[in-house]
C-alpha cells in the first residue's frame, strides 16, 4: 500500500490544523487549548470513545475496526511545545510569545488526527486502534503520567507505537532501529561543602573550588574508564557555581549536569560512579559532597519484533529503499520510553527534510510529509500490527 489517495485529499485540511496548532503553542501539562482542539476533532470523526484528562491533560480516543477481533494498538503523539522564541518568520508563527513548536509535536498531533479521521471513516481493520495524545513530553513526563493513570489497562492496549520527525532525513524516508533509540536523561547536582575563609590564607580553609574542579575532572573517567568502550554514556557538567569575590574562598560549590545512557546498565553505572567519585574526592580533602539525583526519562527501547513490523510497514508505504533500519541511536531523551516499558512497541522516525534541527528557533515541521505520516499509521492499523 503506497501513500493513500485519501491522505493526499486530506493534506490541505490537516496542514491547516498543523498551522493552527503551530500558532498556538502551549507548554508541558498546560496544553488545554490544544487538548480541546484534539478532543473536538476526535468527536467530530465519530470515534467510539473519546476520553480527556488522562495524565492531567492527555486525550485518548478508541476506534474499533470492522474486520473482526484482533489486537488493540496504541498510536501515540505528543502535544506540547518549547520555551523558545520563534524565528521562522512564517505567517503562522507562534502567537504566544516565548513559546514555540520547535520539535514538531504540532505535526505529530496533526498527522495522528488525520489518521484517526481516516480510520474512523473506513474501519478497514481488525481489532482496535487507540489514539493517544500526550502532554508534557518536553521534560514533564506526560507519558509516565498517562501510563500511571491506567492508559494501558483501561484501554486494553497490547502494543504501542510512536512516530517522531527527524530533520536531516530526506522527505519520503523513515529510519528506525531495534533496541535503544533514545537515551536516559538523568540530572545531578553536587554540593561540595568545605570551609570558607580569606584567599590569602588557604591553609585555614577547605577550598570547595579546588575540590569541585577535581570532581569535574574525575567525572570524565566514567565514560573513558568505567563504561564499556563500545557502549554509550554521556557525562556533561553544565553548571559550576561558587564564590562571591576575588579575595574569599567560599564555603561551598555547586556542580550540576546530566548523565545520559543507552542501556539501563550504563545508567546505573553512571549514578553509582558519580556518587563514589564526588563523595570520596570530597572526603579525601576533608569536605563533604551532597548529591541530589533527579531521575529523568528511562532509555527508550524499541522492541525488536515491533521495530521490524514498523520497518516493513514503512517500506510498503514509502518504498523498499526508503527505510533505514540501522538508524544511529541518539543521546536525547523521549518519554515514549515509559510506554515501551509498559507494553511492547517501537518508535519510527520520519524524515523532515533539510530543515533546521529540533529545538532550534528556525525549525519548522515540514507539511509535505503529512500524507506519508497518515498513510504509515493507516497501514500499521490495517495490518493490525503485522506487516502483511
Ligand atoms: Ni519531540
Amino acid at each position: 500500500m503506497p501513500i493513500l489517495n485519501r491522505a493526499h485529499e486530506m493534506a490541505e485540511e490537516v496542514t491547516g490544523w498543523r498551522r493552527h496548532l503551530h500558532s498556538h503553542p502551549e507548554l508541558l501539562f498546560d496544553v488545554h487549548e490544544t487538548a480541546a482542539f484534539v478532543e473536538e476533532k476526535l468527536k467530530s470523526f465519530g470515534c467510539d470513545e473519546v476520553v480527556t484528562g488522562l495524565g492531567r491533560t492527555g486525550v485518548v480516543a478508541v476506534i474499533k475496526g470492522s474486520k473482526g477481533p484482533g489486537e488493540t494498538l496504541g498510536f501515540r503523539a505528543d502535544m506540547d511545545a518549547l520555551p523558545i522564541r520563534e524565528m521562522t518568520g512564517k505567517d503562522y508563527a507562534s502567537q504566544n510569545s516565548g513559546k514555540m513548536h520547535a520539535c514538531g509535536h504540532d505535526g505529530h498531533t496533526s498527522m495522528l488526527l488525520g489518521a484517526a479521521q481516516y480510520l474512523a471513516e473506513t474501519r478497514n481493520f481488525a481489532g482496535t486502534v487507540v489514539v493517544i495524545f500526550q502532554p508534557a513530553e518536553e521534560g514533564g513526563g506526560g507519558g509516565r503520567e498517562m501510563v500511571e493513570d491506567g492508559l494501558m489497562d483501561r484501554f486494553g492496549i497490547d502494543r504501542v507505537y510512536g512516530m517522531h520527525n527527524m530533520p536531516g532525513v530526506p522527505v519520503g524516508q523513515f529510519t528506525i532501529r531495534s533496541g535503544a533509540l533514545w537515551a536516559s536523561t538523568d540530572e545531578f547536582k553536587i554540593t561540595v561543602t568545605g570551609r570558607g575563609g580569606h584567599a590569602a590564607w588557604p591553609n585555614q580553609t577547605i577550598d570547595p573550588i579546588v575540590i569541585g574542579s577535581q570532581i569535574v575532572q574525575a567525572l570524565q573517567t566514567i565514560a573513558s574508564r568505567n563504561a564499556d568502550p563500545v557502549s554509550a554514556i554521556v557525562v556533561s557538567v553544565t553548571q559550576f557555581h561558587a564564590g562571591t569575590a576575588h579575595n574569599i574562598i567560599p564555603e561551598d560549590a555547586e556542580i550540576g549536569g546530566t548523565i545520559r545512557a543507552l542501556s539501563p546498565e550504563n545508567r546505573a553505572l553512571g549514578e553509582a560512579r558519580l556518587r563514589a567519585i564526588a563523595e570520596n574526592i570530597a572526603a579525601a580533602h576533608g569536605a563533604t559532597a551532597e548529591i541530589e539525583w533527579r531521575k529523568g526519562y528511562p532509555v527508550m527501547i524499541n522492541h525488536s519484533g515491533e521495530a521490524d513490523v514498523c520497518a516493513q510497514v514503512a517500506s510498503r508505504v514509502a518504498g523498499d529503499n526508503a527505510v533505514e533500519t540501522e538508524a544511529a541511536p541518539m543521546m536525547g531523551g523521549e518519554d515514549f520510553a515509559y510506554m515501551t516499558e509498559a507494553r511492547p512497541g517501537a518508535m519510527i522516525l520520519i524524515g523532515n527534510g533539510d530543515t533546521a534541527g529540533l529545538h532550534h528557533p528556525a525549525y519548522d515541521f515540514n507539511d509535505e510529509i503529512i500524507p506519508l505520516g497518515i498513510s504509515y499509521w493507516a497501514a500499521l492499523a490495517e495490518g493490525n500490527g503485522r506487516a502483511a
Side-chain angles (χ1 to χ4, degrees):
M1 183 183 89
I3 295 180
L4 296 165
N5 287 334
R6 181 74 184 103
H8 278 301
E9 285 167 21
M10 287 166 58
E12 193 178 319
E13 186 183 15
V14 177
T15 297
W17 302 342
R18 205 286 290 182
R19 294 183 179 190
H20 169 81
L21 294 174
H22 191 87
S23 299
H24 302 91
E26 298 175 292
L27 302 184
L28 295 169
F29 289 98
D30 189 21
V31 289
H32 299 282
E33 281 181 38
T34 308
F37 180 88
V38 167
E39 177 191 359
E40 188 267 312
K41 291 289 174 224
L42 292 169
K43 285 182 172 162
S44 77
F45 304 154
C47 295
D48 298 291
E49 192 184 351
V50 178
V51 177
T52 61
L54 212 78
R56 297 196 230 176
T57 40
V59 184
V60 177
V62 177
I63 307 166
K64 294 194 172 100
S66 65
K67 295 201 140 182
E71 291 199 340
T72 297
L73 307 182
F75 293 172
R76 172 271 203 180
D78 36 16
M79 299 189 287
D80 59 319
L82 285 155
I84 295 177
R85 188 171 301 279
E86 179 160 353
M87 287 171 48
T88 63
K90 296 280 168 63
D91 55 9
Y92 53 84
S94 171
Q95 294 173 18
N96 299 345
S97 178
K99 301 177 188 174
M100 175 190 178
H101 269 296
C103 200
H105 299 182
D106 48 347
H108 304 161
T109 292
S110 301
M111 290 191 295
L112 188 56
L113 280 175
Q117 180 170 33
Y118 170 83
L119 293 171
E121 275 171 14
T122 56
R123 311 268 178 168
N124 188 28
F125 56 96
T128 301
V129 169
V130 176
V131 287
I132 303 162
F133 297 85
Q134 76 152 80
E137 194 289 314
E138 301 288 2
R144 181 188 64 233
E145 296 225 5
M146 289 191 84
V147 170
E148 286 174 355
D149 242 359
L151 172 68
M152 300 300 171
D153 292 335
R154 176 166 174 184
F155 298 98
I157 293 169
D158 295 304
R159 295 171 207 280
V160 66
Y161 295 93
M163 176 167 21
H164 203 293
N165 79 95
M166 192 47 62
V169 175
V171 169
Q173 295 194 16
F174 291 92
T175 73
I176 192 167
R177 77 189 306 271
S178 273
L181 181 64
W182 299 93
S184 58
T185 59
D186 298 321
E187 296 168 26
F188 60 85
K189 189 171 100 180
I190 304 167
T191 305
V192 179
T193 304
R195 185 165 66 234
H198 200 297
W201 290 279
N203 54 306
Q204 296 176 6
T205 73
I206 297 174
D207 186 345
I209 295 181
V210 170
I211 298 164
S213 302
Q214 290 180 9
I215 291 172
V216 172
Q217 292 294 325
L219 290 177
Q220 309 310 313
T221 63
I222 297 173
S224 70
R225 287 298 174 266
N226 299 142
D228 182 332
V230 297
S231 68
I233 186 166
V234 169
V235 180
S236 286
V237 172
T238 55
Q239 291 164 294
F240 193 136
H241 302 296
T244 53
H246 72 278
N247 56 356
I248 301 169
I249 290 171
E251 186 82 4
D252 47 38
E254 272 183 19
I255 299 163
T258 180
I259 296 190
R260 286 145 188 264
L262 286 177
S263 68
E265 295 76 24
N266 261 5
R267 185 187 192 195
L269 174 84
E271 180 182 358
R273 290 300 303 147
L274 176 126
R275 288 182 185 279
I277 287 168
E279 287 169 0
N280 288 298
I281 288 179
H285 294 280
T288 60
E290 188 192 318
I291 290 132
E292 198 181 309
W293 185 263
R294 276 180 296 241
K295 243 182 180 8
Y297 296 163
V299 184
M300 202 249 105
I301 294 172
N302 274 343
H303 298 238
S304 62
E306 286 68 26
D308 285 350
V309 167
C310 292
Q312 290 169 42
V313 167
S315 293
R316 291 211 340 272
V317 175
D320 280 340
N321 300 318
V323 183
E324 164 64 72
T325 56
E326 303 280 333
M330 289 163 287
M331 301 312 283
E334 231 313 331
D335 89 339
F336 185 60
Y338 294 104
M339 297 196 187
T340 52
E341 277 190 344
R343 289 292 185 276
M347 167 173 276
I348 199 164
L349 306 172
I350 183 170
N352 200 53
D354 186 20
T355 64
L358 300 174
H359 297 204
H360 189 279
Y363 167 86
D364 194 22
F365 179 82
N366 191 337
D367 291 320
E368 266 182 71
I369 71 177
I370 286 173
L372 183 61
I374 293 173
S375 299
Y376 167 81
W377 283 129
L380 192 57
E382 288 176 0
N384 192 224
R386 288 181 180 76

